[in-house]
């Protein structure tokens, strides 16, 4: 490579006949393109962009990429956590008491409305006796909010829920809805807010929030009544 004097700055115009020299105290070499000029600062030290500068720039670029990746992962994890907390997003298929065929049949079943505002449709009418107030009952249930999201289920737990019906051990709407069922029966109960959860239920991973005094839906299957003799 050809060098000019140690402190010279050569300015070349696009016209090869034009040349002008000036002097400066610059000691490094830089290249800057401007319209119609190619400005080159030449130094005897030949300090062009060296390999060490390349490594420095590459290091900055890599650090920036890592930082951006960290921010992206943090936002993604927050979104997933928030979705789970609200019961949103993909979830495992939960067992149900009423499948797709059952849902279609329910469309043709008449709705029964009680004086309290409770409503229900019988998926299957049982053949056994109805439970007396205060008796224990064993029932399977799937509890949902109005959009169909499940917030509780005995099927997931793997065993029927046993409680004393009509004794206030469950929400009022469930007590009322089961008292008129028969053993072996299956029913969808539409429970209005005042007969549901006065304080609501907080959300949890895989479980949606139930707002205070909001309506809920229970699919219930009355399995048996302990202590009550019944022959099918």
């Amino acid at each position: 490579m050809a060098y000019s004097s140690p402190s010279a700055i050569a300015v070349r115009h696009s016209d090869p006949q034009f040349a002008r020299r000036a002097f400066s105290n610059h000691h490094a070499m830089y290249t800057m393109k401007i319209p119609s000029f190619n400005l080159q600062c030449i130094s005897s030290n030949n300090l062009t962009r060296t390999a060490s500068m390349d490594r420095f720039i590459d290091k900055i670029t890599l650090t920036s990429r890592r930082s951006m990746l960290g921010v992206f992962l943090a936002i993604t994890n927050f979104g997933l956590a928030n979705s789970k907390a609200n019961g949103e997003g993909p979830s495992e298929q939960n067992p149900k008491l009423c499948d797709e065929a059952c849902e279609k049949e329910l469309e043709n079943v008449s709705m029964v409305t009680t004086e309290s505002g409770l409503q229900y449709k019988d998926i299957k009418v049982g053949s056994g006796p109805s439970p007396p107030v205060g008796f224990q009952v064993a029932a399977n249930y799937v509890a949902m909010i109005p959009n169909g999201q499940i917030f509780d289920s005995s099927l997931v737990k793997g065993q029927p829920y046993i409680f004393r019906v009509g004794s206030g051990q469950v929400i009022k709407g469930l007590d009322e809805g089961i008292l008129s069922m028969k053993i072996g029966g299956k029913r969808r109960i539409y429970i209005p807010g005042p007969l549901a959860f006065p304080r609501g239920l907080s959300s949890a991973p895989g479980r949606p929030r139930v707002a205070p005094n909001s309506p809920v839906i229970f699919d219930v299957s009355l399995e048996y009544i302990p202590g009550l003799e019944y022959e099918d």
Side-chain angles (χ1 to χ4, degrees), residues 8-66:
I9 297 180
V11 182
R12 295 182 177 85
H13 191 272
S14 56
D15 183 354
Q17 295 181 353
F18 178 86
R20 183 170 55 188
R21 292 182 181 273
F23 294 90
S24 174
N25 292 323
H26 291 287
H27 297 286
M29 175 179 175
Y30 302 90
T31 299
M32 179 174 62
K33 291 184 179 181
I34 58 177
S36 302
F37 287 92
N38 182 15
L39 177 63
Q40 292 183 327
C41 301
I42 306 172
S43 171
S44 57
N45 294 326
N46 193 27
L47 296 178
T48 59
R49 196 174 78 169
T50 61
S52 61
M53 185 178 293
D54 288 338
R55 288 194 297 271
F56 176 71
I57 293 174
D58 290 342
K59 184 177 181 181
I60 292 176
T61 303
L62 180 60
T63 302
S64 299
R65 289 177 179 174
R66 287 176 176 173

Side-chain angles (χ1 to χ4, degrees), residues 125-130 182-185 222-232:
V125 177
S127 58
S130 295
K182 296 180 179 181
I183 293 176
L222 183 55
E223 305 297 335
Y224 60 93
I225 302 173
L228 187 66
E229 294 184 3
Y230 164 66
E231 294 183 1
D232 192 357

Side-chain angles (χ1 to χ4, degrees), residues 7-227:
S7 299
I9 297 180
V11 182
R12 295 182 177 85
H13 191 272
S14 56
D15 183 354
Q17 295 181 353
F18 178 86
R20 183 170 55 188
R21 292 182 181 273
F23 294 90
S24 174
N25 292 323
H26 291 287
H27 297 286
M29 175 179 175
Y30 302 90
T31 299
M32 179 174 62
K33 291 184 179 181
I34 58 177
S36 302
F37 287 92
N38 182 15
L39 177 63
Q40 292 183 327
C41 301
I42 306 172
S43 171
S44 57
N45 294 326
N46 193 27
L47 296 178
T48 59
R49 196 174 78 169
T50 61
S52 61
M53 185 178 293
D54 288 338
R55 288 194 297 271
F56 176 71
I57 293 174
D58 290 342
K59 184 177 181 181
I60 292 176
T61 303
L62 180 60
T63 302
S64 299
R65 289 177 179 174
R66 287 176 176 173
S67 300
M68 291 301 295
L69 179 60
V71 171
F72 173 76
L73 291 176
I75 294 174
T76 302
N77 290 334
F78 174 78
L80 290 175
N82 190 49
S83 296
K84 289 180 179 180
N86 289 288
E88 301 172 356
S91 60
E92 296 181 359
Q93 186 67 31
N94 291 314
K96 297 180 179 181
L97 286 173
C98 188
D99 56 18
E100 292 184 6
C102 166
E103 293 287 353
K104 291 181 179 179
E105 291 178 5
L106 273 180
E107 295 176 1
N108 301 318
V109 176
S110 59
M111 181 81 76
V112 177
T113 303
T114 68
E115 293 181 0
S116 67
L118 183 82
Q119 295 181 313
Y120 64 84
K121 288 185 176 185
D122 280 316
I123 300 170
K124 175 186 176 183
V125 177
S127 58
S130 295
V133 174
F135 267 61
Q136 283 190 327
V137 296
N140 276 311
Y141 67 89
V142 175
M144 301 166 281
I145 58 178
N147 67 3
Q149 282 187 288
I150 297 173
F151 64 85
D152 196 8
S153 172
S154 67
L155 299 181
V156 174
K157 298 171 184 176
Q159 59 184 7
Y161 181 57
I162 298 177
F163 65 97
R164 292 191 181 277
V165 68
S167 300
Q169 294 183 354
V170 295
I171 59 176
K172 294 179 180 180
L174 193 56
D175 260 343
E176 181 183 345
I178 290 180
L179 276 171
S180 58
M181 291 181 68
K182 296 180 179 181
I183 293 176
K186 192 181 296 184
R187 175 176 289 180
R188 173 162 293 179
I189 307 173
Y190 302 86
I191 303 175
L195 303 180
F197 298 93
R199 298 182 180 180
L201 296 173
S202 60
S203 62
R207 186 184 78 186
R209 174 178 177 269
V210 178
N213 294 312
S214 63
V216 292
I217 301 170
F218 274 74
D219 285 347
V220 180
S221 174
L222 183 55
E223 305 297 335
Y224 60 93
I225 302 173

